[in-house]
């Protein structure tokens, strides 16, 4: 069977399908981002990773401030303990402060998850709705 090469095209090269446009520009340089599937995967990964950064920073700052205040109370109470009765009250006070730390940690986790979702959602919005992919391709 003869080759299906177009007139003037060297034999051995595949003919481009009718109506298709060869990729140039951004899509040629980044073939994975040229497809809708590649942009979806890249957008989701970027939103997750870059959304994590502000959440991690917020969690770290809130944890230092909340735990620092609780640790300061414990240090002050321990320094003030001079009598046997005050030493006996330290264990109950420490248990109460440990509960306060757990409660603070729970709130920090919830807040950082909200920050992560908001930042990731904002990045995804920009990636999927504001970047002019049709002009880049």
């Amino acid at each position: 069977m003869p080759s299906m090469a177009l007139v003037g095209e060297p034999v051995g090269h595949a003919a481009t399908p009718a109506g298709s446009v060869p990729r140039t520009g951004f899509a040629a340089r980044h073939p994975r981002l040229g497809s809708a599937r590649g942009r979806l995967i890249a957008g989701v990964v970027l939103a997750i990773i870059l959304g994590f950064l502000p959440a991690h920073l917020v969690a770290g700052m809130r944890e230092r401030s909340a735990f620092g205040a609780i640790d300061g109370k414990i240090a002050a109470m321990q320094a003030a303990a001079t009598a046997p009765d005050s030493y006996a009250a330290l264990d109950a006070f420490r248990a109460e402060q440990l509960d306060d730390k757990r409660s603070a940690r729970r709130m920090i986790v919830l807040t950082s998850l909200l920050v992560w979702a908001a930042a990731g959602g904002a990045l995804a919005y920009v990636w999927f709705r504001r970047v002019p992919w049709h002009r880049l391709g």
Side-chain angles (χ1 to χ4, degrees):
M1 181 150 187
S3 174
M4 301 283 284
L6 297 175
V7 177
E9 181 180 32
V11 177
H13 288 139
T16 58
S20 72
V21 178
R23 291 185 173 199
T24 60
F26 180 80
R29 288 189 311 267
H30 306 286
R32 289 189 180 152
L33 292 179
S35 70
R37 184 177 183 182
R39 286 192 304 270
L40 173 70
I41 292 169
V44 169
V45 168
L46 282 174
I48 289 171
I49 291 172
L50 294 178
F52 175 76
L53 294 175
H56 181 68
L57 293 174
V58 166
M61 289 186 301
R62 293 213 38 210
E63 192 172 86
R64 277 189 296 277
S65 67
F67 289 179
I70 292 171
D71 290 341
K73 284 188 221 175
I74 292 172
M77 184 72 159
Q78 287 175 338
T82 57
D85 291 339
S86 58
Y87 279 119
L90 279 178
D91 288 336
F93 181 73
R94 285 187 193 127
E96 180 184 315
Q97 296 307 307
L98 184 60
D99 286 340
D100 288 348
K101 275 191 174 184
R102 287 183 183 137
S103 176
R105 178 171 287 138
R106 215 171 294 118
M107 290 306 298
I108 290 168
V109 166
L110 290 175
T111 304
S112 63
L113 284 175
L114 286 174
V115 168
W116 193 357
L123 288 166
Y125 173 76
V126 169
W127 182 267
F128 293 116
R129 298 289 181 194
R130 293 295 177 196
V131 174
W133 293 110
H134 60 281
R135 282 190 268 156
L136 294 175

